[in-house]
Amino acid sequence: MSHQAGFVSIIGKPNAGKSTLMNALVGENMSIITPKAQTTRHRILGIVNDENYQIVFSDTPGVIKPHYALHESMMHQVDGSIVDADLILLVTDIYEEYDEADVLKKLEGSLAPIAVLINKIDQSDEETVKKKVEFWQEKLKPKAVFAISALLGHNIKAIMDFVIENLPEHPAYYEKDALTDRNDRFFASEMIRAQIFKQYKKEIPYSSEVIVTAFVEGETLHRISAEIIVERDSQKNILIGQGGKMLKIVGTYARRDMEDFFQRKVFLEMFVKVIPDWRSKKNYLKKFGYE
């Protein structure tokens, strides 16, 4: 049998469940998941390997109108993943009020086949789901429409079967033991960022960036140092908390996640640094790994 391989881009608005879907499809926690919108800032590849195929899934930032240079970088990553795609999974959810104009505009130039995934059906009823399916069949005339629950794993196998059926014939793009294009430093920084999203309210998560400054691997212990970047002194004070209490909570939960992920003990130290308006400064964005 010939070998199949291709890029499958997961596209949609913030909070549609793209990262939950990607993790369900790949079977690993590649993308951080929080209840807040715009958690994903980078395009992250999750690779599924089989003797006869290789699927390269792309989890992408939610499509938004850019307000900062950071947002522009995030939207460039979405555009790049659409250009690369052999297949596009457009994720919408049951609460979406048929207002997907920004997402559909991004897809206009693409020749890749599209499947629409209506997510969070576990929070809805049969009649609403049926109306959504009919709307998308009429609106986009996609290759397929799936009603899914990424969180509960409902219809995930059907999506996988659809993807495999529509993969082009091609040699593998990555080594067959590769799970992602990202390194351990990236995942360590994302685990800290996930806790910032979970532990703080309002602008703190959106004004924060995490840079791993040292990552020393050991047989039984990883030593990791990280800087949390914020935009103002007031944010730094909130992030650290009284007597360092809040930062300690972030560190405790992030370290647990890392130990689970790396299967090693982790020594984690974190420092908070202020860089005014870093989200609007292209030199810093480049330094922080945004294209």
Side-chain angles (χ1 to χ4, degrees):
M1 235 179 97
S2 57
H3 189 275
Q4 296 168 279
F7 287 83
V8 180
S9 293
I10 302 170
I11 307 290
K13 285 169 80 168
N15 246 12
K18 297 180 298 299
S19 296
T20 306
L21 174 69
M22 158 105 146
N23 290 346
L25 289 166
V26 176
E28 299 279 346
N29 288 339
M30 294 287 161
S31 296
I32 62 172
I33 298 162
T34 78
K36 292 186 176 72
Q38 292 174 44
T39 306
T40 303
R41 286 183 184 165
H42 295 271
R43 178 183 176 185
I44 300 166
L45 301 188
I47 304 166
V48 176
N49 291 297
D50 180 86
E51 193 181 335
N52 301 315
Y53 62 78
Q54 183 178 75
I55 310 167
V56 185
F57 289 107
S58 279
D59 183 19
T60 61
V63 175
I64 52 168
K65 284 190 168 67
H67 295 295
Y68 300 94
L70 170 65
H71 292 162
E72 286 168 19
S73 166
M74 286 158 62
M75 293 309 98
H76 286 319
Q77 294 181 59
V78 176
D79 294 338
S81 80
I82 292 169
V83 170
D84 292 346
D86 295 297
L87 191 61
I88 290 170
L89 303 180
L90 169 57
V91 183
T92 178
D93 72 35
I94 211 70
Y95 300 111
E96 181 50 52
E97 296 295 322
Y98 304 107
D99 177 25
E100 297 275 7
D102 293 350
V103 180
L104 296 179
K105 193 165 175 46
K106 289 241 177 246
L107 296 175
E108 272 172 8
S110 174
L111 299 172
I114 296 174
V116 176
L117 279 46
I118 302 162
N119 193 21
K120 305 182 186 176
I121 61 162
D122 52 301
Q123 299 169 26
S124 186
D125 58 79
E126 202 173 329
E127 189 56 34
T128 309
V129 173
K130 193 168 164 242
K131 279 183 187 163
K132 289 279 182 186
V133 170
E134 285 167 3
F135 168 80
W136 282 108
Q137 281 168 337
E138 183 63 31
K139 177 87 177 168
L140 259 191
K141 298 183 174 47
K143 195 146 190 185
V145 179
F146 294 95
I148 70 164
S149 169
L151 187 65
L152 301 181
H154 179 69
N155 251 354
I156 298 298
K157 187 183 183 306
I159 298 166
M160 280 299 278
D161 292 344
F162 171 81
V163 168
I164 294 161
E165 270 171 39
N166 288 279
L167 276 184
E169 287 189 12
H170 200 281
Y173 288 95
Y174 293 88
E175 295 292 333
K176 279 295 193 129
D177 58 354
L179 288 174
T180 181
D181 62 328
R182 298 286 180 174
N183 60 22
D184 286 349
R185 275 178 178 248
F186 174 81
F187 288 111
S189 70
E190 286 287 271
M191 283 178 243
I192 297 169
R193 208 164 62 78
Q195 288 306 323
I196 294 169
F197 265 81
K198 286 173 183 171
Q199 304 298 337
Y200 300 92
K201 296 187 177 102
K202 295 179 182 167
E203 89 273 15
I204 297 287
Y206 300 103
S207 306
S208 304
E209 183 56 77
V210 179
I211 309 299
V212 170
T213 53
F215 193 114
V216 182
E217 295 181 31
E219 285 287 313
T220 56
L221 177 77
H222 286 355
R223 291 181 178 275
I224 300 169
S225 297
E227 281 180 355
I228 301 172
I229 314 293
V230 290
E231 294 189 312
R232 298 195 298 276
D233 284 322
S234 58
Q235 294 168 345
K236 178 179 177 176
N237 294 338
I238 293 167
L239 209 112
I240 292 170
Q242 197 172 2
K245 185 182 167 190
M246 284 306 294
L247 192 62
K248 195 172 179 183
I249 291 170
V250 169
T252 300
Y253 284 111
R255 183 174 49 77
R256 282 181 196 165
D257 289 345
M258 289 178 200
E259 288 180 344
D260 197 37
F261 189 83
F262 298 125
Q263 293 295 294
R264 299 276 189 287
K265 283 281 181 199
V266 169
F267 172 79
L268 175 64
E269 59 177 359
M270 297 185 300
F271 306 93
V272 184
K273 186 175 172 182
V274 177
I275 299 177
D277 301 321
W278 68 264
R279 285 181 291 178
S280 301
K281 293 179 176 169
K282 291 197 171 171
N283 57 330
Y284 279 111
L285 290 171
K286 196 172 177 186
K287 192 178 166 188
F288 297 162
Y290 295 97
E291 294 161 21

